Amino acid sequence: MRRAVSSHRSRVATAILLLVAVVLVAGCDDAAEPDPADWTTYHHDNSRAGLAPELAALGTLSKAWAARLDGAVYGQPLVVADRVFAATENDSVYALDARSGRTVWSTHVGTPMRLWQLPCGNIDPLGITGTMVYDPATTLLFALAETTGGRHVLVSLDAATGQVRQRRAAEPPAGDRLAHQQRGALSLVNGRIYIPYGALSGDCGRYLGTVVALPTTGPAGPVSYHVPTTRQGGIWAPGGGVLVGDRLLYATGNGESTTAYDGSDSVIALALDDLTLLDRFTPPTWAEDNSSDADLGSMTPALVGGYVYANGKRGVGYTLRPGHLGGIGGQVHQTYVCPTFGAAAVSGRTAYVPCIDGPRAVDVDAGGRITVGWQAVVSGGGSPAIGGGVVWVVDTTAGILSPLDPATGVVRQRIPVGEVHRFASPTLARGHAYVGTMTGVVAIAGA
């Protein structure tokens, strides 16, 4: 009898331990998931939809604060709980109080490149350009810093303190490293950081559109993919990679060849584990695009109504099937929309596209057919975001943030934010809109 009781107690104890372990594991998994009210990567999440689901309507807008930092902020600010994270072209990373803009910590992670040290370009100094990413599993913040000597260094920082945890080389494996510029947003998927590379303004030197992947922690070396052209094919649109199932989609720029297809001017799908090329779409006009610098790679692909929507400098919009991009000329539908630079914002079957002469609403129906809707009277081509019942866009010429009516494109308000770069896109989180400027970060709140 005692043996039976003992055995029963042992089974109960084992069951309790297993239950506790399950609860702890579940709790860890929950803790590793980002809060939907936060903005932990470019355009909120790996779909790059630019949709802030938790943002309430802000009402009458006004400037809440402006934080002056040590350089221009090209990447989107990130927001986690009560902190705003921003990186500058002076190779500094900041944590700001989301309510006041006060600096909580700042860390200088390297010495940026000066324009006179580069073969061409238009950013001076050149430090951290691509949007950072925050990892809730490790509470680390990741930034790609360009530093003296043309080095590209992946830096991870403790988000609570700003302490640097690791520095790792993340060099493109082919071409001239001085000719590569890192503008596209970093992606975090399954414990890996994915880093896209394009070129300096002016397309000088031998660069190749490249993606490099490194684990979030540990000594493992990088894996990489580069466009199989002799030169160019840059991956430079600010949104970086778009996650679709077990693959990342990137848009590539024009290559050198105008005779034999060279893998450039395309939407490509790369495997998450080893960055193997799985699929691609290439416009039938690729040779003309290559010869006239009319590449598809100027806008990050968008996921719209079950299709991939691609658009670039030529101005033609294409819909593609996510599971089979179609190869050369394999689009579902195409129509002229507008030349685009940046990244679209998406809600359902509608993409708000960053046209150079003002954003347009583009609808994609169940069959993949594209219909062009309204055009907003906003210049400069800033990349939109969606939240609080409106579409937000920065007039990058005038330095003005405007919420637009999503049904008509009518501008509801105009709020000056100061000088910004041409790809500026607002971050929408925790009851504010945050914009990176040429001098720091501006926060907009509603009454």
Side-chain angles (χ1 to χ4, degrees):
M1 181 67 177
R2 287 179 183 173
R3 185 175 298 170
V5 171
S6 176
S7 176
H8 174 72
R9 286 175 178 170
S10 177
R11 289 195 298 271
V12 170
T14 300
I16 291 172
L17 287 172
L18 287 172
L19 179 60
V20 169
V22 168
V23 170
L24 287 174
V25 169
C28 289
D29 286 345
D30 290 342
E33 290 296 319
D35 186 324
D38 292 335
W39 194 281
T40 60
T41 187
Y42 185 90
H43 267 190
H44 186 268
D45 55 54
N46 283 330
S47 74
R48 306 306 195 202
L51 181 63
E54 305 296 315
L55 189 74
L58 296 187
T60 302
L61 302 176
S62 62
K63 186 183 295 186
W65 50 260
R68 190 173 187 88
L69 309 182
D70 71 357
V73 176
Y74 272 63
Q76 271 192 332
L78 305 182
V79 178
V80 179
D82 60 351
R83 295 287 182 267
V84 177
F85 299 107
T88 74
E89 293 294 348
N90 196 44
D91 274 340
S92 295
V93 180
Y94 287 80
L96 309 174
D97 184 279
R99 294 176 295 273
S100 66
R102 174 183 61 85
T103 297
V104 178
W105 57 254
S106 65
T107 303
H108 190 56
V109 299
T111 301
M113 293 288 291
R114 299 309 304 260
L115 189 56
W116 62 265
Q117 298 173 307
L118 297 166
C120 63
N122 62 354
I123 301 175
D124 188 19
L126 179 63
I128 301 172
T129 306
T131 298
M132 301 184 293
V133 66
Y134 170 77
D135 179 15
T138 60
T139 66
L140 293 175
L141 192 66
F142 294 86
L144 195 287
E146 304 203 33
T147 65
T148 301
R151 294 178 176 84
H152 302 87
V153 182
L154 181 64
V155 182
S156 56
L157 304 97
D158 186 313
T161 65
Q163 182 178 351
V164 173
R165 296 300 186 191
Q166 200 169 5
R167 299 175 189 267
R168 287 171 288 173
E171 298 295 347
D176 177 3
R177 73 181 183 191
L178 267 178
H180 289 84
Q181 180 174 294
Q182 203 290 303
R183 183 189 294 276
L186 307 189
S187 297
L188 166 66
V189 187
N190 297 339
R192 281 189 176 184
I193 305 296
Y194 298 84
I195 308 160
Y197 288 94
L200 301 163
S201 178
D203 284 352
C204 57
R206 184 170 182 264
Y207 68 90
L208 298 168
T210 300
V211 180
V212 174
L214 282 161
T216 52
T217 59
V223 296
S224 65
Y225 167 85
H226 65 79
V227 177
T229 181
T230 53
R231 198 175 76 88
Q232 302 183 324
I235 301 174
W236 59 276
V242 178
L243 183 65
V244 180
D246 61 350
R247 57 190 62 189
L248 280 167
L249 305 186
Y250 292 92
T252 70
N254 57 283
E256 276 198 320
S257 178
T258 58
T259 54
Y261 176 63
D262 61 358
S264 64
D265 192 42
S266 300
V267 174
I268 60 174
L270 302 180
L272 291 174
D273 54 353
D274 59 3
L275 293 179
T276 299
L277 178 67
L278 300 175
D279 197 4
R280 69 158 66 96
F281 162 76
T282 306
T285 56
W286 66 266
E288 297 170 33
D289 293 350
N290 281 1
S291 66
S292 60
D293 190 30
D295 57 274
L296 192 62
S298 62
M299 193 190 91
T300 303
L303 302 177
V304 190
Y307 293 89
V308 176
Y309 175 78
N311 197 346
K313 293 181 185 178
R314 177 176 284 273
V316 176
Y318 304 91
T319 49
L320 320 171
R321 293 182 177 86
H324 179 61
L325 296 177
I328 298 176
Q331 64 273 13
V332 176
H333 184 243
Q334 72 174 71
T335 193
Y336 184 82
V337 178
C338 64
T340 58
F341 289 81
V346 181
S347 178
R349 294 194 177 277
T350 302
Y352 301 97
V353 177
C355 302
I356 59 174
D357 57 352
R360 284 174 172 78
V362 174
D363 294 321
V364 177
D365 70 15
R369 188 171 185 82
I370 302 165
T371 303
V372 182
W374 54 254
Q375 177 185 357
V377 185
V378 176
S379 64
S383 297
I386 307 167
V390 295
V391 178
W392 301 78
V393 66
V394 179
D395 179 330
T396 59
T397 302
I400 293 173
L401 175 66
S402 295
L404 312 177
D405 186 307
T408 64
V410 170
V411 176
R412 292 185 175 178
Q413 297 179 65
R414 298 180 188 272
I415 307 298
V417 294
E419 186 182 2
V420 298
H421 64 91
R422 69 178 299 183
F423 298 110
S425 185
T427 295
L428 308 175
R430 305 288 178 177
H432 289 75
Y434 301 94
V435 179
T437 73
M438 299 303 286
T439 58
V441 177
V442 169
I444 304 298

